[in-house]
Amino acid sequence: MVYDGGYYYLLTTTWSNIQITRATTIAGLKTATPKVVWTKDSVAARCCKYWAPEVHKIGSTWYLYYSAGTSGTNGYQNVHVLQGGSTPYDTYTYKGQLAPTNAPNDWAIDGTILTISGTNYFVFSGKDTTAGQAIWIAPLTNA
């Protein structure tokens, strides 16, 4: 949940879509109508099992980070990012998959943004064939 511009924004998933609910009070989120901001994707690598959505404002733009993967198994889950607008309630477009350069096809989930001394880092849970399960941190770029 985030607070911006007089609204509280709560993100939820149904496994096949990502929703944002907004209200001027926390209690108001209980009865507010959710808005679907992303729905089942036709790309097989990110079609299913949406979870862990978070929004972060970087500069003047909001970004939505979420975990998703293929149908069937949980073995190929990765973090993806959507680019929004000037509020968390704006329209989102697909920006890309976030993955470490040394393990681009390995499992990565539940990412968040960490800012230290003005530099943004992406922190996530990941597993690769050499290091196993670990918490990863990497500088966030717009590449």
Side-chain angles (χ1 to χ4, degrees):
M1 180 177 3
V2 298
Y3 182 80
D4 182 67
Y7 289 96
Y8 291 92
Y9 295 90
L10 176 67
L11 282 81
T12 56
T13 68
T14 64
W15 285 93
S16 62
N17 69 33
I18 300 170
Q19 303 172 352
I20 296 181
T21 305
R22 77 175 179 173
T24 56
T25 65
I26 292 175
L29 291 170
K30 190 183 222 181
T31 57
T33 302
K35 172 185 171 182
V36 174
V37 294
W38 194 250
T39 193
K40 189 168 182 167
D41 200 313
S42 62
V43 177
R46 62 177 193 256
C47 74
C48 309
K49 299 181 186 135
Y50 298 157
W51 78 66
E54 290 192 9
V55 287
H56 294 273
K57 189 174 189 178
I58 300 175
S60 61
T61 304
W62 285 89
Y63 294 89
L64 193 156
Y65 299 86
Y66 67 99
S67 298
T70 59
S71 64
T73 177
N74 284 338
Y76 186 75
Q77 298 294 113
N78 280 286
V79 178
H80 300 270
V81 61
L82 306 175
Q83 184 173 342
S86 60
T87 78
Y89 214 61
D90 287 341
T91 301
Y92 287 87
T93 57
Y94 187 78
K95 178 88 169 144
Q97 176 182 322
L98 298 178
T101 55
N102 63 332
N105 296 314
D106 289 328
W107 189 66
I109 61 168
D110 302 346
T112 193
I113 303 300
L114 171 67
T115 303
I116 301 173
S117 300
T119 300
N120 293 318
Y121 296 89
F122 192 65
V123 181
F124 62 98
S125 173
K127 180 171 75 172
D128 73 10
T129 54
T130 58
Q133 180 71 37
I135 299 297
W136 297 50
I137 183 169
L140 189 63
T141 65
N142 199 18

